Amino acid sequence: MSWNPNGAERLMLTFDPAGLTTTQRDGDACVVCHKKWPRPRVKVGMLPDNAPVHACDDCAEALLPAPEGKVPLPRRSRAATS
């Protein structure tokens, strides 16, 4: 991921459309995991023709860095106990 040198604005990722399905290119499926429902809403990048690329919430969290000043907290999960 690239950043603007003055730090004021995040530059978007650029995705190669050759590796994406039609539904991913159209924004109807997550660009990472292909999930179609619920429709991905987080804009995570662009195609070379400036079309937006979207990801589901979980994949977007992995692709995009946390905003400055915020430290992500570890996810709490319940471990199975025997």
Side-chain angles (χ1 to χ4, degrees), residues 35 56-64 71-79:
K35 185 175 166 181
C56 64
D57 292 337
D58 292 334
C59 292
E61 185 178 325
L63 285 175
L64 300 176
V71 177
L73 298 174
R75 289 189 175 184
R76 293 184 181 177
S77 61
R78 297 179 186 250

Side-chain angles (χ1 to χ4, degrees), residues 15-70:
F15 289 83
D16 181 5
L20 303 177
T21 65
T22 303
T23 54
Q24 288 173 310
R25 289 191 303 267
D26 291 342
D28 293 328
C30 175
V31 71
V32 178
C33 71
H34 302 270
K35 185 175 166 181
K36 294 180 185 178
W37 185 259
R39 188 169 187 240
R41 298 179 187 202
V42 182
K43 184 177 172 184
V44 293
M46 307 290 279
L47 295 174
D49 66 356
N50 291 326
V53 176
H54 296 84
C56 64
D57 292 337
D58 292 334
C59 292
E61 185 178 325
L63 285 175
L64 300 176
E68 278 190 42
K70 286 194 164 198

